[in-house]
Amino acid sequence: MSTTTIIAIDGPAAAGKGTLAKRLAAELGFDYLDTGLIYRAVGMKVLDAGFDPADPARAGEAARDLEPADLQGPDLRTDEAAQAASKVASIPAVRDALLDFQRRFAATPPGGKGAVLDGRDIGTVVCPDAPIKLYVTASAETRAERRLKELQAKGIATTFDLVLAEMKERDERDSSRAVAPLKPADDAHLLDSSALDADQAFDVAIAFVRAKL
Ligand code: CDP
Ligand code: CDP
């Protein structure tokens, strides 16, 4: 039984999960794990090897062979990586292969104090017993606007319509898959950040977390 505190943060694409999770971890002295990055790395590993990320055998193998260096890939924040991630993420063998690593990180974070994990299934599957669960969301248009700004700041040429379409396709696939679909845990606290900037969302979240600790 773990004695560290686990904070589970889930929600759809570009809801502000990572930004919030990082700030909560920094504020509390906890370690942070971006689980989406792991799925992105598996997706890119399959693509880079010239295969289809939806191929269960190839994707399962890539997940089992994943190494820390794969998480440093330069292309992991692109829409291409996001789509590949969402495809490998529907494959049960991939999710199984990545589960142990995520659970170990949550139970024994490097700093020993606590862990904040963000993703799609942290509160429902990876850490169902986490004492603190947040489900962060915002309207699709708000989220697409946020992601567009991020991509443009990195010099990636795209449009609002393309980003919105990519995100909706991914949210639909993530919500409708048979294994570990995107959905709030029954005991998750909902945080709609549509009308909040990142500072305001953090203020709401840290107040909730402190009340629970
Ligand atoms: O991790 P996730 O994909 O859910 O979102 P993110 O990468 O943390 O955030 C996407 C963008 O939204 C970032 O540029 C944030 O600065 C911005 N943002 C936010 O995180 N929270 C808000 N309440 C408003 C904007
Ligand atoms: O930053 P954004 O929210 O757009 O995506 P991400 O968190 O990096 O996740 C990329 C993809 O990985 C998602 O669309 C999901 O398909 C998958 N994922 C998952 O299935 N389970 C997780 N715990 C985290 C990510």
Side-chain angles (χ1 to χ4, degrees), residues 5 19 25 46 54 63 70 87-88 97-98 107 111 114 120 144 152 157 168 189:
T5 302
T19 303
V46 180
D70 296 325
K87 288 178 187 164
V88 300
L98 302 178
R120 301 292 186 287
Q152 286 174 336
K168 282 188 170 170
H189 180 73

Side-chain angles (χ1 to χ4, degrees), residues 88-179:
V88 300
S90 311
I91 300 169
V94 169
R95 305 202 73 87
D96 274 357
L98 302 178
L99 199 53
D100 268 4
F101 172 78
Q102 297 173 79
R103 286 193 174 146
R104 241 180 298 124
F105 182 95
T108 53
K113 213 173 157 193
V116 186
L117 285 80
D118 83 310
R120 301 292 186 287
D121 62 338
I122 309 302
T124 50
V125 174
V126 178
C127 303
D129 298 330
I132 302 176
K133 298 181 185 179
L134 284 162
Y135 189 86
V136 186
T137 186
S139 72
E141 286 70 22
T142 306
R143 293 186 286 114
E145 196 58 58
R146 291 177 185 168
R147 185 53 44 91
L148 177 67
K149 271 194 200 150
E150 282 185 319
L151 293 171
Q152 286 174 336
K154 285 184 193 152
I156 296 171
T158 185
T159 64
F160 175 79
D161 288 346
L162 278 175
V163 173
L164 182 63
E166 190 281 331
M167 247 181 40
K168 282 188 170 170
E169 184 188 338
R170 197 149 54 93
D171 286 347
E172 172 58 27
R173 192 186 298 117
D174 290 348
S175 308
S176 61
R177 67 185 174 217
V179 277

